[in-house]
Amino acid sequence: MSWLPPAVIGLIDIALVAEVSVVRSDGRPMTYPLIPMWDGERVLMTSSILFSRKLEHIKKDHRVCLSLSDPVALQGRQDRATIIGDAAVIDGDPHVDWERVLPLWAAKEPVILQLLKSRVAFPLFFERAVIEVTPRRVLYWPDGDASAEPQTSVEPATALAAPVADARTGVPA
Amino acid sequence: MDVRSGLRSIDARLALTKLAGYPFALATWVGEDGYPLSVAVDVTVDTNSGTASFVVPGGLVMPSAGEMSLTGSHIRPQPGVGYDERRHVTLWGGLDRDRAGWITVRPTAAWGWDESEEPFPEYVERSVGQSRRYLGQLSSELGRTVRPRLSAGWLFLRATRLPFLSAAIVPVTIGIAIAAVGGLFDPLTALLTIIGAASAHLAFNVANDIFDTRLGADELNVNPTQYSGGSRVIQYGLVSMRGMQGLLVLFLALAVSIGLLLFALSPSTQLLVIGVLGVILGVGYTAPPLKLVYRGLGELTIAVGFGPLMLLGAYVVQSGGPIDVAAVVASLPVAILVALILYVNEVPDRPGDSRAGKRTLVVRFSRGTVIALYDVAIVAAFAIIIIGVVLRVLPLPALLAVLAAPLALRVHRGLNVSYDQPYALMAVMATNIRIHLVVGLVLLGTYLSVLLVQALAPGRSLFLP
């Protein structure tokens, strides 16, 4: 059972695209649009090796955040959320490892099944890694007004192990 | 410029203009705990001062100095499919924060992608270098070589460009059929001829990939399509250069062995000349020192190789040397149409070819001249068939080839409309390939029908009286 607010899980489930921010080795944030998928515990995403700089950044720094903010990508939902978490890259075999997320992916982008049948035409696109994000904190704006103070949820283990002074920013006490 | 660097940097001012087109932006910064944090903000873009400003969102502790990024992102949902209209832009810059609670970002760098400006296949192609780098790093991490893969069947199809084999099968089978009409047909040598010609064609396809890679043409081409730009198996790391060289040796050895066997079974000076010339033109098409395609002679080489040489070669294997004028005439439209396959397929390749010094006719000529030359050549191909029938060199049913003329009109129109759109040209290239196939099959069917008439109604002729 996830500690994530059901509304946020609903946003992940419906989102066609989320903006994923990672941290480069020079400390600068980089933001990439990716399809978010929810497996009941973690947010899953998949990236081709063609567009793998994000994977390189995550391997060097696991700290990421996902923004679910675009009402168009959220298919009309107006509420917004930002999920802060730790990411892991699964790429032991880029040819097949990602296929476990295919059903979740195809549910959001059905055309991918047709493209996969033409794998010979896009061989590198279908060499992929899975990004698994374990959520640590969530900021949620129920009415989508991000200028207002968000509702904040923190992973229970994180809250117990390292209480933070301000869960909204993560600035340690 | 590294055309395969993947990420496309954008001028910061241009990126600001793009950002202004998004309904909102994501402000992203790295907090003191090292985690990035994004929040949606309504930005006010001032292109004159080169800044983007927004009010600090409530309840969040945002930095008052340092650097921040602003991202605009857009898709259009397509129910049952996924989405399209993908575009995003990210800008970075130092920030100022005033007492009124406004943050102003002065972007100094930006990157992004807009599929309406750079089609997805081109974005993929430009990112191939990044994929190679990643797999290299992954191989180091895992202590074993990680390569992209395809199933053996698909890989063979892709590496050899197997679907293009019709370019060899068509002239060879026509040559055999014409010989058969003259009472010259041996099934064993006919079969060997088809296998030998197919092997030679596959060898030349592989040689083309090897030498276009070595000479830089395939590397510089960022708009390959299903029909143009080579197989890409070397660029994608699916097959090593050594693997392709092995494949070349295999197919070439098979073709030469069959050629020698055919020469032993049916020796003639004509066959020897055709065989030697075929190998020289086939390999020299791309390989140094000839590099015929780099010198604007590629179209002529293909016309000669996949027209008269293939067709007459197959014919002389059956005839033992003498050449029928019908075989010569029938080879000419086939030659023109196969050269036009290459010619049209070169249109999307021309920027990369030009950069690599591959001076094809399409690179040399203006758009208007290229299309006019296509028109002249396609009309000539059909005219030769009509004249051949009128002069009673070709059987009457060969006139059915003219039914393919509307396809040529579609190619003409397609070239006019999509000349500068590589991916829109794919349908045009497919139609153009179909013309060669349809005309070839009509000519083959023509001679098969002559054989049928000879068998069922001796004395009846399918030639004009």
Side-chain angles (χ1 to χ4, degrees):
Chain A
M1 186 72 182
S2 172
W3 61 269
L4 247 58
V8 175
I9 293 174
L11 276 181
I12 301 168
D13 279 337
I14 205 162
L16 292 175
V17 168
E19 281 67 41
V20 182
S21 294
V22 303
V23 184
R24 295 189 343 176
S25 51
D26 63 1
R28 182 183 266 181
M30 290 281 289
T31 301
Y32 303 88
L34 283 174
I35 301 173
M37 297 164 273
W38 179 245
D39 76 348
E41 278 184 59
R42 290 158 299 193
V43 183
L44 306 180
M45 291 166 288
T46 174
S47 167
S48 165
I49 60 168
L50 286 159
F51 317 118
S52 52
R53 292 210 180 175
K54 64 181 87 64
L55 304 174
E56 294 171 353
H57 297 316
I58 292 170
K59 283 183 176 185
K60 288 177 182 159
D61 190 332
H62 56 86
R63 292 170 289 198
V64 302
C65 79
L66 279 81
S67 174
L68 300 152
S69 298
D70 181 7
V72 175
L74 297 173
Q75 304 189 63
R77 290 261 305 247
Q78 297 297 315
D79 47 340
R80 287 170 158 158
T82 295
I83 300 168
I84 300 109
D86 296 306
V89 174
I90 314 298
D91 59 359
D93 185 346
H95 194 67
V96 293
D97 279 357
W98 62 272
E99 288 181 358
R100 68 186 169 96
V101 306
L102 187 58
L104 292 169
W105 182 4
K108 294 193 175 186
E109 195 179 17
V111 74
I112 208 65
L113 295 175
Q114 275 176 277
L115 283 176
L116 188 57
K117 285 179 190 163
S118 312
R119 191 171 191 156
V120 64
F122 305 98
L124 295 182
F125 182 71
F126 287 111
E127 298 291 324
R128 310 185 67 86
V130 174
I131 303 168
E132 292 182 348
V133 178
T134 304
R136 303 299 183 201
R137 297 192 303 277
V138 173
L139 309 182
Y140 180 60
W141 293 269
D143 60 0
D145 180 7
S147 65
E149 188 167 344
Q151 296 174 7
T152 303
S153 306
V154 182
E155 180 195 31
T158 304
L160 286 172
V164 290
D166 188 338
R168 295 162 302 185
T169 63
V171 176
Chain B
M1 181 183 68
D2 178 6
V3 296
R4 300 185 168 276
S5 59
L7 290 177
R8 184 69 71 90
S9 292
I10 306 171
D11 173 76
R13 290 235 172 208
L14 174 64
L16 257 182
T17 309
K18 287 176 178 282
L19 186 70
Y22 291 88
F24 71 95
L26 280 181
T28 306
W29 69 97
V30 178
E32 288 183 24
D33 58 355
Y35 283 88
L37 191 60
S38 290
V39 61
V41 294
D42 294 318
V43 288
T44 303
V45 170
D46 183 345
T47 51
N48 290 326
S49 63
T51 59
S53 306
F54 58 91
V55 178
V56 175
L60 291 176
V61 177
M62 296 189 82
S64 53
E67 207 172 48
M68 177 174 278
S69 76
L70 293 170
T71 298
S73 179
H74 169 83
I75 57 149
R76 181 177 66 172
Q78 291 284 3
V81 176
Y83 49 83
D84 61 4
E85 289 187 358
R86 292 167 290 186
R87 60 178 181 266
H88 60 93
V89 63
T90 293
L91 308 85
W92 296 274
L95 63 92
D96 296 319
R97 185 169 177 170
D98 67 18
R99 289 182 184 172
W102 281 78
I103 283 182
T104 298
V105 179
R106 294 180 185 281
T108 52
W111 77 279
W113 175 60
D114 182 338
E115 73 175 328
S116 70
E117 296 172 358
E118 182 180 58
F120 184 69
E122 182 176 336
Y123 186 34
V124 162
E125 206 55 40
R126 287 186 185 277
S127 303
V128 168
Q130 171 62 25
S131 74
R132 287 197 294 239
R133 194 177 77 160
Y134 187 78
L135 287 180
Q137 290 168 352
L138 186 60
S139 299
S140 299
E141 287 170 24
L142 299 176
R144 59 180 164 84
T145 303
V146 183
R147 280 176 174 275
R149 303 200 299 272
L150 279 177
S151 68
W154 284 121
L155 189 57
F156 181 78
L157 179 137
R158 178 148 196 155
T160 59
R161 286 180 268 169
L162 199 62
F164 282 97
L165 212 49
S166 62
I169 302 294
V170 162
V172 167
T173 49
I174 294 172
I176 293 169
I178 294 175
V181 164
L184 309 163
F185 180 67
D186 172 59
L188 175 65
T189 52
L191 182 64
L192 283 173
T193 305
I194 292 171
I195 297 171
S199 302
H201 186 184
L202 298 183
F204 301 152
N205 282 351
V206 173
N208 175 248
D209 272 347
I210 290 170
F211 292 105
D212 265 351
T213 298
R214 283 196 175 164
L215 296 167
D218 280 351
E219 192 71 15
L220 289 168
N221 186 345
V222 291
N223 301 113
T225 68
Q226 191 179 344
Y227 306 105
S228 61
S231 77
R232 324 298 290 178
V233 294
I234 300 173
Q235 284 69 35
Y236 294 172
L238 290 163
V239 183
S240 65
M241 177 61 94
R242 203 168 169 176
M244 288 296 270
Q245 287 167 340
L247 212 53
L248 170 60
V249 169
L250 180 75
F251 284 126
L252 207 53
L254 186 60
V256 170
S257 301
I258 290 174
L260 291 173
L261 180 59
L262 288 171
F263 185 71
L265 292 171
S266 178
S268 70
T269 310
Q270 291 90 331
L271 182 58
L272 185 66
V273 171
I274 287 170
V276 171
L277 199 56
V279 172
I280 291 172
L281 291 182
V283 177
Y285 172 74
T286 330
L290 292 179
K291 297 194 302 179
L292 295 163
V293 68
Y294 284 74
R295 302 176 201 278
L297 295 170
E299 300 80 2
L300 184 62
T301 304
I302 292 297
V304 172
F306 287 88
L309 290 190
M310 285 275 185
L311 197 151
L312 298 180
Y315 183 89
V316 298
V317 167
Q318 300 301 315
S319 74
I323 294 175
D324 190 295
V325 67
V328 176
V329 173
S331 75
L332 297 179
V334 175
I336 292 170
L337 295 175
V338 77
L340 287 181
I341 292 178
L342 174 72
Y343 184 71
V344 172
N345 289 5
E346 285 170 346
V347 173
D349 287 349
R350 67 192 192 286
D353 284 350
S354 178
R355 280 196 291 268
K358 196 173 176 178
R359 304 276 296 153
T360 63
L361 295 184
V362 169
V363 168
R364 288 166 191 261
F365 297 153
S366 69
R367 170 195 177 125
T369 306
V370 167
I371 297 173
L373 191 56
Y374 176 85
D375 296 344
V376 169
I378 199 88
V379 167
F382 289 117
I384 289 169
I385 293 172
I386 295 168
I387 293 168
V389 170
V390 170
L391 295 179
R392 286 180 285 171
V393 177
L394 300 179
L396 191 58
L399 283 180
L400 288 172
V402 179
L403 292 175
L407 296 176
L409 277 176
R410 276 166 57 184
V411 174
H412 170 88
R413 274 192 231 112
L415 285 172
N416 264 320
V417 172
S418 309
Y419 197 79
D420 294 316
Q421 301 163 53
Y423 307 107
L425 275 174
M426 283 174 67
V428 180
M429 291 187 277
T431 304
N432 191 45
I433 291 168
R434 212 177 310 145
I435 297 173
H436 172 264
L437 193 61
V438 168
V439 171
L441 290 177
V442 165
L443 289 175
L444 179 62
T446 295
Y447 283 98
L448 292 179
S449 61
V450 171
L451 279 172
L452 200 64
V453 168
Q454 282 177 351
L456 299 178
R460 296 287 296 271
S461 172
L462 286 182
F463 289 83
L464 276 179

